[in-house]
């Protein structure tokens, strides 16, 4: 199975389970995201939603290019990108705190997923980054829009995007992207992070989430996300992107 879902003591743990593919997102996992979102909305016992990756190498490497490289035209790309963009918007606007428990590399779309969460708890050894530029495209699931909403200094956020490089955990903490950095067992780190949150009535958490969601509605967040996705779709059709993907797939076959 490409994912596991476990609820314990109010914590819903969603684990991407494709370690051989560095927990890359495919169509099956997109459907899994939808199921998790539905579960949160229909189970009032959930107080925190946590996403992590199986293994210790990768949180998520973004979209599975072995599957999605078959998408060639702008229209084809927009179909896939907007589907995940809609899912991430629904994720970002859930009524409970969302936490990315980053056990390993979070790159490309994986970095976008983490940025759409309220908090990012990062392993000391992890490297994360918006590397989409190395494939001659921009963020395609709304990641840049969420990044600019997360309170990072504008130049720090912009540099993460335009450099298209990975950052180590210290750098991620310095620029304000990482909420905390941990060593050792990720589940222990999670429990330490939410220790005080647990003591607060969940209605308080939901009220604060509603304030954020109202702000985003007033600032047309979803429309801006979809415009970001449309821009990426145009670049997806370019010869530069096709060549970059070809080089990437050839390198990974060796």
């Amino acid at each position: 199975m490409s994912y596991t879902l476990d609820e314990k003591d109010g914590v819903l743990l969603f684990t991407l389970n494709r370690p051989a593919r560095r927990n890359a997102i495919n169509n099956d996992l997109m459907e899994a995201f939808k199921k998790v979102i539905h579960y949160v909305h229909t189970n009032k016992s959930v107080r925190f939603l946590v996403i992590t990756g199986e293994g210790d190498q990768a949180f998520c490497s973004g979209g599975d290019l072995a599957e999605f490289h078959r998408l060639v035209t702008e229209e084809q790309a927009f179909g896939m990108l907007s589907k995940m963009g809609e899912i991430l918007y629904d994720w970002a606007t859930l009524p409970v705190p969302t936490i990315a428990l980053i056990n390993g590399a979070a790159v490309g779309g994986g970095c976008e997923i983490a940025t759409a969460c309220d908090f990012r708890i990062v392993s000391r050894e992890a490297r994360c980054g918006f590397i989409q530029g190395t494939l001659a495209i921009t963020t395609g699931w709304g990641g840049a829009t969420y990044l600019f909403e997360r309170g990072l200094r504008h130049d720090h956020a912009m540099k993460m995007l335009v450099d298209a490089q990975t950052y180590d955990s210290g750098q991620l903490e310095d620029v304000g992207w990482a909420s905390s950095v941990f060593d050792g067992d990720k589940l222990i780190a999670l429990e330490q992070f939410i220790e005080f949150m647990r003591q607060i009535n969940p209605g308080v958490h939901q009220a604060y989430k509603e304030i954020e969601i109202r702000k985003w509605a007033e600032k047309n967040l979803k429309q801006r996300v979809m415009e970001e996705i449309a821009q990426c779709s145009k670049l997806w059709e370019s010869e530069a992107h096709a060549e970059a993907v070809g080089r990437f797939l050839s390198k990974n076959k060796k």
Side-chain angles (χ1 to χ4, degrees), residues 25 42 154 186 222:
I25 304 299
T42 54
H154 173 80
K186 66 181 182 181
K222 188 170 185 181

Side-chain angles (χ1 to χ4, degrees), residues 79-100:
M80 180 273 290
L81 296 172
S82 61
K83 178 181 178 181
M84 191 61 189
E86 293 268 4
I87 289 168
L88 269 195
Y89 179 81
D90 290 343
W91 180 281
T93 54
L94 281 168
V96 301
T98 54
I99 302 169

Side-chain angles (χ1 to χ4, degrees), residues 3 32 68 72 75 89-90 103 121 150 201 209 241 247:
Y3 72 99
F68 295 138
V72 177
E75 183 179 10
Y89 179 81
D90 290 343
N103 54 297
I121 310 174
R150 289 303 180 202
N201 185 287
K209 286 298 298 270
H241 175 60
R247 289 192 298 270

Side-chain angles (χ1 to χ4, degrees), residues 41-214:
H41 281 298
T42 54
N43 289 270
K44 301 305 180 184
S45 57
V46 177
R47 295 193 57 191
F48 306 94
L49 173 58
V50 181
I51 181 171
T52 192
E54 184 62 38
D56 57 8
Q57 295 300 309
F59 167 77
C60 177
S61 59
D64 192 339
L65 287 179
E67 183 167 327
F68 295 138
H69 80 282
R70 300 179 183 88
L71 308 176
V72 177
T73 67
E74 176 182 341
E75 183 179 10
Q76 289 171 337
F78 185 79
M80 180 273 290
L81 296 172
S82 61
K83 178 181 178 181
M84 191 61 189
E86 293 268 4
I87 289 168
L88 269 195
Y89 179 81
D90 290 343
W91 180 281
T93 54
L94 281 168
V96 301
T98 54
I99 302 169
L101 184 54
I102 300 172
N103 54 297
V107 296
C111 205
E112 297 190 60
I113 291 169
T115 304
C117 293
D118 296 309
F119 305 103
R120 285 153 294 284
I121 310 174
V122 183
S123 167
R124 182 81 58 190
E125 291 75 31
R127 296 189 68 90
C128 308
F130 297 93
I131 62 168
Q132 289 90 335
T134 64
L135 293 174
I137 56 173
T138 54
T139 48
W141 293 342
T145 300
Y146 295 116
L147 184 66
F148 286 124
E149 290 289 328
R150 289 303 180 202
L152 277 68
R153 252 177 46 185
H154 173 80
D155 57 332
H156 287 164
M158 183 64 80
K159 199 165 192 300
M160 284 187 77
L161 295 167
V162 300
D163 275 353
Q165 299 297 309
T166 58
Y167 284 39
D168 64 33
S169 58
Q171 292 171 305
L172 294 166
E173 196 167 32
D174 287 344
V175 301
W177 189 83
S179 306
S180 71
V181 173
F182 70 89
D183 296 288
D185 190 296
K186 66 181 182 181
L187 295 180
I188 293 175
L190 171 65
E191 285 301 317
Q192 291 173 340
F193 187 80
I194 66 174
E195 177 185 0
F196 295 110
M197 295 185 200
R198 276 192 182 280
Q199 300 173 27
I200 305 302
N201 185 287
V204 173
H205 299 163
Q206 293 168 15
Y208 283 132
K209 286 298 298 270
E210 287 174 8
I211 291 170
E212 182 178 48
I213 292 166
R214 283 199 301 272

